[in-house]
Amino acid sequence: MLRNPVLKRSVFSISFGLLALAGLAAMILPLMLRPVRAHERNGELHVTKNCSAWTLDNGAFCTIKSSNLPEIEVGSQVLYAQAPVGCDNGGTPYPCTAPLPTPEGGYILVDSSAVLYVGTGNWAVGRCTLDNTGNSGLCTFSDGIGPLTGFRARVLVSSTDGVNYQWNGTYSFRPEEH
């Protein structure tokens, strides 16, 4: 047992200091061990698009009119791989699919693979689904190439006129680790 008060204080100070240092290391070490991703970032995504050129055929597209994300440039296109369900496509070789009924008696209008095409070597892949009003839905994107490498997004789709649409949601860039 230590009887010298100065020695007791020194032992206590050293012990307290070591305990504080161990606590600090416990907080910092997990951050240091986390893989560093040079371009990892995320945020809110707000895009407007015009679909006046939309047709009922495969390859229908909408044009981006505004975006808060520099990688999604004005003039980019969203290309849709499947024709809307239950459509009359004029006998083209791409058949329309049967509507997907909902419990309320409605149906899903569009359920299509989508490509967010900014330019050659710069695009992302995803899927978009719209309800039978054609005015609300969901689009998700899972990856891309070029500046859109690692792009992920989940956006709610809305429209008041069936021609101009808004995407509001979140995005992230998580480039693959090599």
Side-chain angles (χ1 to χ4, degrees):
M1 178 150 223
L2 298 173
R3 298 190 191 276
N4 183 339
V6 173
L7 188 55
K8 277 184 181 180
R9 272 185 266 147
S10 295
V11 170
F12 177 74
S13 296
I14 291 170
S15 298
F16 183 73
L18 288 173
L19 185 60
L21 187 59
L24 185 61
M27 291 187 314
I28 293 175
L29 191 58
L31 296 175
M32 292 173 58
L33 295 177
R34 183 176 162 228
V36 176
R37 296 178 182 167
H39 300 291
E40 183 175 330
R41 63 189 170 98
N42 57 59
E44 291 187 11
L45 180 60
H46 304 288
V47 170
T48 59
K49 63 181 186 156
N50 178 280
C51 296
S52 59
W54 175 267
T55 65
L56 297 178
D57 296 322
N58 277 9
F61 67 92
C62 299
T63 303
I64 301 296
K65 294 300 180 186
S66 70
S67 169
N68 69 323
L69 193 61
E71 289 83 356
I72 302 175
E73 300 171 6
V74 170
S76 301
Q77 293 181 333
V78 184
L79 309 168
Y80 299 94
Q82 284 91 22
V85 294
C87 66
D88 174 12
N89 62 357
T92 66
Y94 308 106
C96 295
T97 57
L100 179 62
T102 64
E104 297 82 19
Y107 61 92
I108 300 300
L109 177 66
V110 175
D111 183 28
S112 176
S113 299
V115 176
L116 175 56
Y117 185 81
V118 179
T120 302
N122 184 8
W123 45 266
V125 294
R127 184 156 205 90
C128 291
T129 304
L130 293 172
D131 66 12
N132 65 322
T133 67
N135 294 330
S136 65
L138 172 71
C139 289
T140 57
F141 290 89
S142 58
D143 204 352
I145 65 169
L148 291 173
T149 297
F151 177 69
R152 289 163 176 69
R154 181 184 190 279
V155 295
L156 296 178
V157 180
S158 63
S159 176
T160 55
D161 63 7
V163 175
N164 296 292
Y165 289 81
Q166 296 178 341
W167 284 354
N168 291 298
T170 57
Y171 76 91
S172 65
F173 281 92
R174 295 196 187 346
E176 299 300 320
E177 295 178 47
H178 299 284

